[in-house]
Amino acid sequence: MLIESVYNYKHRLVDAHFLVKIVYVLPAFVLVLISENTAFHGFAFCLIFIACKYIAKVPIFHLLKLFSVPFLFIFIGCFTLLFSFDKIHGIGILDDSYFLGIAIFTKSMALISVMYFFLLTHTISEISKYMYACKVPSLFIELFVLTYKFIYLLSDTAKSMQIAQKCRMGDQQGYLNTVRNYGLLFSMVFRHAMLQTEQLEIAMSARLGSNNFVFVQEKHAYSFMNLLAPILFVLLLITALLLL
Amino acid sequence: MKEDTIVCFENVSFSYPSGSLAIESLNVNLPKGKKIALLGGNGAGKSTLMLLLNGILKPSKGQLLYNGESYNYNAKALRTLRSNVGLLFPEPDYQLIAPTVYEEISFGLLNQVKEPEEIRKIIAKVLVDFSLVELKDRPPHQLSTGQKKRLCLAAVLAMEPELIVCDEPAANLDPMYADKIFNYLNTLNKKGKTILIATHDVNQAYEWADFIVILNEGKVLTSGGPETVFNCENTLKQANLKQPTIINIINSLGLDSVNVPRNIDGLNALLKGRLSK
Ligand SMILES: Nc1ncnc2c1ncn2[C@@H]1O[C@H](COP(=O)(O)OP(=O)(O)OP(=O)(O)O)[C@@H](O)[C@H]1O
Ligand SMILES: [Mg+2]
């Protein structure tokens, strides 16, 4: 499942200055990273999950689906951590590894929730803007934006071609046929991608572009009032860290 | 060469690398400040002609003149040419570049205007004109075909070229947005811009255009005002086209009106006048 298919373009921070957004994300990230407190991690996860629901405005069902993938991986990883084996006792769970497993699990989930919140409130161009600000070489940023663009061009082409293929050949085909058809499909998709690149280049030159992916972004004003909510959010996290 | 010609094709031929001759010794003058419709069946060479206009394709024979000066294909001259000749492609998917609608409109402008504040002002206006405000943060590839088309047009028109070349601007648009786009083209025309559209829709062309060019197999079949061009049914047939409905009705009813109406309202008025007599 792609983040973009659940991204809500009417989330609460659409017109927010990037400073407002970063106050939500950065302190939370740092706090979760430095703290070793399991209860705090649990609290942070819940708070950010709620923020994903009410600030990023993603429906709960989608959020659960989104979180289920990393959950599964991390859970399996931590589960294997629990068990230790030696010749005298056989397989068992040590207290140490039990706590270690829980600690790693909660910390990872909290970090992932921060990451998701970031992704669900920032568009690709905003992320690329941060990259510019962090002095990432522009070549990498262009590559990043282009990759994003081509993932969609390719997946769209592949989807429509597959539908067309199914329509013509029917759904029931032998195993060998399926393999061959997929081979055909991929070769066609790549040919298409080449054509599309060519067309894109033509379109860019028609609009005076010189192969640079540079754009102008909207400017958002901000005031101290806008910062109030994220500061409250951070204060909440800090108190939790101190209390728990 | 006449004074009021914006682009002049002088004996232009063009064949694709694969060998197909798409344009064959074509001669035509595109009048300045007019609304021009380029008509022709599939494969007549309309899209090729438009790519020639923008300097994306270079004729294999003959030459094009912009305001009396022949096209120059070095990088600098092409930049000037392309900021004067805006081109809208028929497939929106291949011309959307940016990650968001807002930035898409900024792309061409950024190559033209240097001040970001200036650019933001223009974008704000264009977003309203094309009812794209709601969509400004969306990635273009998530829009519907019609919305994409509107965005492409907005992105090209934001650059305010002198000659606006649109390949099938209304294909895939619902009637309301098609009307909106033609109205927008009209306002630009009133500001003195020349507009060239390629289409198969004879009715649209008849109602909207001041000057018609009919292409067939890479050659100009006829060109001129809509009344004269559309009166000749045989020529139209030769180019896989039909007579506009209004002319057809008037001819088959045998109404010999001095000014043939250009749109449905005019036809209604004419018929009502005749019936009440
Ligand atoms: N990229 C290409 N390579 C080779 N031949 C081409 C290419 N594009 C077009 N042609 C050929 O050039 C001729 C003119 O094509 P063009 O696309 O200009 O037609 P058109 O008038 O735009 O048609 P339509 O109404 O279908 O869009 C056609 O015979 C076509 O097969
Ligand atoms: Mg065409």
Side-chain angles (χ1 to χ4, degrees):
Chain A
M1 181 168 196
L2 289 166
I3 295 272
E4 225 203 28
S5 51
V6 299
Y7 193 102
N8 184 344
Y9 289 91
K10 294 204 169 56
H11 64 74
R12 270 179 206 280
L13 299 179
V14 184
D15 288 322
H17 193 262
F18 79 96
L19 212 65
V20 176
K21 295 188 191 181
I22 218 65
V23 171
Y24 273 108
V25 178
L26 210 53
F29 188 73
V30 172
L31 286 178
V32 169
L33 206 59
I34 58 169
S35 143
E36 296 296 339
N37 185 336
T38 310
F40 169 70
H41 288 150
F43 175 79
F45 174 79
C46 294
L47 190 69
I48 296 164
F49 190 88
I50 292 169
C52 287
K53 169 82 181 69
Y54 289 100
I55 297 175
K57 286 194 165 175
V58 178
I60 213 118
F61 175 68
H62 285 159
L63 276 179
L64 288 178
K65 245 169 118 180
L66 208 57
F67 275 99
S68 63
V69 180
F71 173 83
L72 221 72
F73 278 101
I74 295 168
F75 186 77
I76 293 170
C78 293
F79 196 69
T80 49
L81 265 184
L82 287 182
F83 299 100
S84 21
F85 177 80
D86 68 46
K87 274 191 181 140
I88 307 157
H89 303 99
I91 295 178
I93 299 175
L94 293 177
D95 271 359
D96 272 357
S97 57
Y98 175 73
F99 287 118
L100 184 67
I102 297 278
I104 291 182
F105 178 75
T106 48
K107 189 168 186 167
S108 318
M109 286 311 285
L111 279 175
I112 281 187
S113 64
V114 177
M115 196 63 208
Y116 272 162
F117 182 77
F118 175 72
L119 291 176
L120 288 171
T121 48
H122 289 75
T123 56
I124 288 291
S125 34
E126 283 164 321
I127 297 174
S128 67
K129 204 158 52 175
Y130 290 141
M131 289 163 84
Y132 273 115
C134 295
K135 300 266 185 287
V136 176
S138 59
L139 183 71
F140 283 103
I141 304 175
E142 270 174 35
L143 214 60
F144 171 69
V145 175
L146 263 180
T147 311
Y148 168 82
K149 170 121 196 100
F150 269 88
I151 285 176
Y152 284 94
L153 278 183
L154 278 181
S155 76
D156 276 0
T157 318
K159 248 186 246 161
S160 50
M161 280 194 174
Q162 198 177 17
I163 291 172
Q165 218 176 43
K166 267 192 186 156
C167 287
R168 278 189 300 190
M169 311 201 195
D171 231 344
Q172 274 104 26
Q173 337 159 328
Y175 172 72
L176 226 114
N177 256 336
T178 315
V179 171
R180 215 192 48 202
N181 286 346
Y182 268 98
L184 266 178
L185 184 73
F186 280 116
S187 68
M188 283 313 287
V189 166
F190 276 107
R191 267 188 49 193
H192 234 81
M194 298 289 288
L195 278 179
Q196 280 173 339
T197 326
E198 220 169 87
Q199 291 267 3
L200 212 61
E201 226 168 274
I202 292 176
M204 277 171 72
S205 55
R207 272 156 73 193
L208 305 175
S210 42
N211 291 330
N212 285 344
F213 280 76
V214 213
F215 309 103
V216 173
Q217 277 106 11
E218 208 172 354
K219 215 175 188 172
H220 299 297
Y222 84 103
S223 63
F224 183 68
M225 289 306 282
N226 297 136
L227 278 176
L228 234 48
I231 286 176
L232 211 69
F233 180 84
V234 174
L235 284 181
L236 208 61
L237 278 177
I238 293 177
T239 13
L241 183 61
L242 295 178
L243 290 181
L244 291 170
Chain B
M1 230 219 64
K2 278 182 281 174
E3 185 56 15
D4 52 354
T5 302
I6 188 156
V7 174
C8 169
F9 284 77
E10 277 184 354
N11 229 353
V12 173
S13 296
F14 178 83
S15 51
Y16 280 98
S18 65
S20 57
L21 192 60
I23 298 282
E24 201 182 340
S25 19
L26 182 112
N27 283 298
V28 72
N29 290 336
L30 302 179
K32 192 179 265 179
K34 289 275 164 66
K35 297 185 280 188
I36 310 164
L38 186 61
L39 285 163
N42 291 132
K46 302 183 294 297
S47 304
T48 311
L49 190 148
M50 297 191 147
L51 292 174
L52 283 167
L53 271 175
N54 193 270
I56 286 171
L57 299 179
K58 194 175 168 182
S60 10
K61 254 194 252 144
Q63 61 168 349
L64 285 89
L65 307 173
Y66 184 84
N67 278 335
E69 274 178 47
S70 89
Y71 274 35
N72 203 330
Y73 292 86
N74 65 39
K76 198 167 157 247
L78 277 182
R79 275 184 81 83
T80 340
L81 176 71
R82 285 174 186 162
S83 63
N84 287 328
V85 182
L87 176 55
L88 177 78
F89 295 86
E91 309 94 349
D93 275 322
Y94 301 152
Q95 51 184 318
L96 296 171
I97 302 152
T100 66
V101 166
Y102 192 94
E103 290 164 286
E104 184 65 47
I105 300 176
S106 80
F107 180 75
L109 287 170
L110 197 60
N111 297 313
Q112 220 178 19
V113 186
K114 283 284 161 278
E115 275 304 307
E117 269 322 305
E118 197 70 18
I119 294 177
R120 291 198 183 99
K121 254 187 232 153
I122 300 174
I123 297 177
K125 186 177 169 300
V126 171
L127 283 174
V128 173
D129 281 342
F130 286 86
S131 8
L132 290 169
V133 181
E134 283 277 293
L135 304 174
K136 71 178 164 48
D137 297 308
R138 294 270 293 267
H141 56 77
Q142 274 193 358
L143 305 180
S144 80
T145 317
Q147 290 168 333
K148 281 181 195 161
K149 194 113 195 179
R150 236 154 73 213
L151 172 59
C152 293
L153 193 63
V156 171
L157 295 190
M159 296 168 71
E160 301 227 330
E162 276 305 304
L163 170 63
I164 300 159
V165 181
C166 306
D167 203 346
E168 308 185 20
N172 277 324
L173 289 182
D174 67 26
M176 190 190 83
Y177 279 117
D179 273 354
K180 258 195 177 173
I181 282 185
F182 278 103
N183 284 341
Y184 200 80
L185 291 178
N186 282 343
T187 44
L188 285 173
N189 177 247
K190 290 210 181 82
K191 279 195 210 163
K193 315 264 179 206
T194 312
I195 296 162
L196 173 70
I197 66 166
T199 177
H200 310 120
D201 186 346
V202 279
N203 288 313
Q204 183 74 58
Y206 176 65
E207 185 176 333
W208 177 81
D210 315 319
F211 190 82
I212 309 275
V213 178
I214 296 189
L215 274 189
N216 188 38
E217 294 177 355
K219 284 185 223 137
V220 176
L221 219 50
T222 55
S223 64
E227 286 87 355
T228 45
V229 167
F230 285 126
N231 243 328
C232 184
E233 210 180 337
N234 284 336
T235 327
L236 290 171
K237 216 171 236 164
Q238 206 182 328
N240 285 354
L241 299 168
K242 280 183 179 168
Q243 235 177 0
T245 318
I246 294 176
I247 295 196
N248 203 315
I249 290 176
I250 289 186
N251 285 348
S252 57
L253 288 180
L255 298 173
D256 46 347
S257 121
V258 186
N259 348 324
V260 183
R262 291 283 291 277
N263 51 29
I264 292 289
D265 292 337
L267 181 68
N268 278 341
L270 180 74
L271 289 179
K272 265 188 198 140
R274 291 297 165 104
L275 285 176
S276 62
K277 261 185 202 169

